Amino acid sequence: MVYEGLRMSTSRAYIRPYLNIRDNLEVLINSQVTKLLIDKETVTATGVEYVDKSGNKHTISARKEVILSAGAINSPQLLLLSGIGPKEHLEEMGIDTIVDLPGVGQNLQNHVSISIDYLMATEENINTVTFDAVQEFIQNRTGNLTNTGLSSATMFVTSKYATDGVPDLQYFFGGYQGKCTRTGSRNECMDTEQIGNCGVRRLGAVPTNVLTLSRGYMKLNSSDPLDYPLLYTGDLEEQQDVDVLIDGLKFSIELTNTSSFKKYNITVDTTKMTGCEDYEFATDEYFECVIRNHTIPQNHQAGTCKMGPKEDTMAVLDKDLKIHGVNKLRVVDASFFPLNPNGNPTSVIIM
């Protein structure tokens, strides 16, 4: 989301406007929660422990509930550090088990992508970061620089493996991304490959499998809360996840036959990717080689504190996002998804 020419964040939308207005809101920066405080007799969350930027340890007590929202990696990490998780793993780490929940850290899922480049022969080199563009952005918050710089467009498509018409591919298109000129001129030539006056512009398509079947898991590396956890993503372990991306790459090539692409003289870059030179370009074997060697994991991790009924041995949270077997503790972030949404998950997480 872009608001007033700038990419909107949850902090900018929901926190900053109320920092000096609400007496019941205090934000501690450069601090890290290291443990959830759980009363072992009543199995009730009573607060959190954290360290500040100087390494000093503090505790905060909760009058009502503790709400954990540290993301799909750090939320399960904090549960494990606090004695909530698979008993066998907790014992291995020397942590006393308060609640044996096998699903904590399991069901890790992510969206996985692969990229393919297009080339556009052009007689002009329309640069985005020019003196005029900077002035327009500063004065009006309009113009080229209001683009997020991540993806100029997106599209949802069903591969031949999709069921019930639900899209399993999302495309991100990047083109004319922030490119600074040396002189500030809009039409300054910068490419070494020359066609006409300016040469070739490189565009990109990134087909992304947004309904992956593969699952991974995370676990502690040690009982030190400042130690990074271990991630075993499991990406591409299911062959269909590869096949969906192969279908996505083929569709990317088909797009160049459309009138819109032909209008701008857009063609596929047939340069072979490193490690896949022995395969014929655009064959299934070539595409699988590219996918297994150059896959791009998205930053859409989810599922590690799965929501589900008690009967589900992998479930961690109930329908109200409360931890099974723990009082006054909820998890509110992407870790609760039983299945990752088939698109950018941020809006669902915020909701």
Side-chain angles (χ1 to χ4, degrees):
M1 175 182 173
V2 174
Y3 178 69
E4 293 183 344
L6 296 170
R7 195 175 189 204
M8 181 61 82
S9 67
T10 49
S11 173
R12 186 168 171 240
Y14 298 106
I15 296 178
R16 294 180 197 176
Y18 303 102
L19 274 177
N20 300 316
I21 297 175
R22 297 186 60 158
D23 294 334
N24 63 345
L25 174 64
E26 183 177 356
V27 178
L28 303 176
I29 62 173
N30 300 318
S31 302
Q32 182 168 337
V33 174
T34 54
K35 189 177 182 181
L36 305 171
L37 302 178
I38 311 290
D39 185 300
K40 293 183 179 180
E41 291 187 8
T42 61
V43 195
T44 300
T46 61
V48 299
E49 181 181 276
Y50 76 94
V51 292
D52 61 25
K53 62 182 179 181
S54 300
N56 299 314
K57 188 180 294 186
H58 305 269
T59 59
I60 296 179
S61 298
R63 285 198 296 266
K64 294 184 178 180
E65 290 186 346
V66 173
I67 298 176
L68 178 58
S69 186
I73 306 303
N74 291 115
S75 282
Q77 180 189 19
L78 281 167
L79 290 177
L80 293 170
L81 289 167
S82 308
I84 301 169
K87 183 177 181 180
E88 183 179 346
H89 178 48
L90 296 177
E91 290 177 347
E92 179 189 0
M93 294 292 107
I95 298 172
D96 292 336
T97 302
I98 296 177
V99 178
D100 181 12
L101 277 180
V104 176
Q106 302 298 309
N107 192 44
L108 175 62
Q109 49 198 287
N110 199 1
H111 297 152
V112 293
S113 307
I114 193 66
S115 65
I116 188 168
D117 282 351
Y118 300 125
L119 302 176
M120 183 175 73
T122 176
E123 293 189 357
E124 64 174 349
N125 198 40
I126 304 174
N127 295 295
T128 52
V129 186
T130 64
F131 181 77
D132 289 342
V134 172
Q135 284 293 104
E136 181 181 1
F137 179 76
I138 291 173
Q139 293 174 2
N140 306 317
R141 286 292 191 267
T142 58
N144 289 336
L145 296 188
T146 59
N147 188 294
T148 62
L150 297 177
S151 180
S152 302
T154 192
M155 171 176 71
F156 291 90
V157 172
T158 54
S159 78
K160 64 183 179 183
Y161 304 96
T163 57
D164 300 324
V166 177
D168 54 356
L169 281 168
Q170 181 179 3
Y171 285 73
F172 301 99
F173 293 95
Y176 283 48
Q177 293 180 343
K179 196 169 188 180
C180 297
T181 66
R182 288 180 289 264
T183 65
S185 168
R186 181 173 182 268
N187 289 315
E188 175 189 304
C189 293
M190 299 178 67
D191 292 293
T192 55
E193 301 173 75
Q194 294 297 309
I195 293 180
N197 293 324
C198 278
V200 174
R201 288 304 301 253
R202 187 174 293 274
L203 313 176
V206 183
T208 303
N209 186 340
V210 289
L211 285 178
T212 54
L213 300 177
S214 301
R215 295 290 181 268
Y217 63 96
M218 61 78 61
K219 65 179 186 177
L220 298 177
N221 190 32
S222 73
S223 59
D224 181 354
L226 302 182
D227 197 1
Y228 295 126
L230 300 175
L231 304 182
Y232 300 87
T233 65
D235 291 341
L236 306 181
E237 286 188 356
E238 296 287 342
Q239 180 62 34
Q240 184 170 311
D241 288 345
V242 176
D243 296 338
V244 168
L245 288 175
I246 290 175
D247 213 40
L249 287 169
K250 288 179 177 179
F251 185 75
S252 302
I253 292 178
E254 289 177 16
L255 287 175
T256 61
N257 295 320
T258 63
S259 58
S260 297
F261 274 57
K262 287 181 177 179
K263 178 181 177 182
Y264 293 99
N265 196 21
I266 297 174
T267 58
V268 175
D269 181 3
T270 58
T271 305
K272 292 184 179 180
M273 299 287 281
T274 305
C276 303
E277 296 89 347
D278 293 339
Y279 297 99
E280 183 182 347
F281 184 84
T283 61
D284 286 6
E285 293 76 15
Y286 172 77
F287 282 151
E288 177 158 358
C289 176
V290 169
I291 290 164
R292 292 198 178 277
N293 284 280
H294 300 278
T295 302
I296 308 165
Q298 292 294 325
N299 214 7
H300 298 170
Q301 295 89 352
T304 47
C305 296
K306 177 185 175 183
M307 178 176 63
K310 269 188 177 181
E311 299 75 40
D312 182 349
T313 57
M314 285 293 104
V316 177
L317 309 174
D318 67 15
K319 63 182 178 62
D320 297 313
L321 307 185
K322 296 180 179 179
I323 300 277
H324 287 304
V326 182
N327 300 311
K328 297 185 178 181
L329 177 60
R330 300 181 201 242
V331 177
V332 185
D333 54 41
S335 62
F336 82 79
F337 292 141
L339 181 66
N340 215 353
N342 63 328
N344 295 68
T346 302
S347 59
V348 187
I349 295 167
I350 294 170
M351 180 182 67

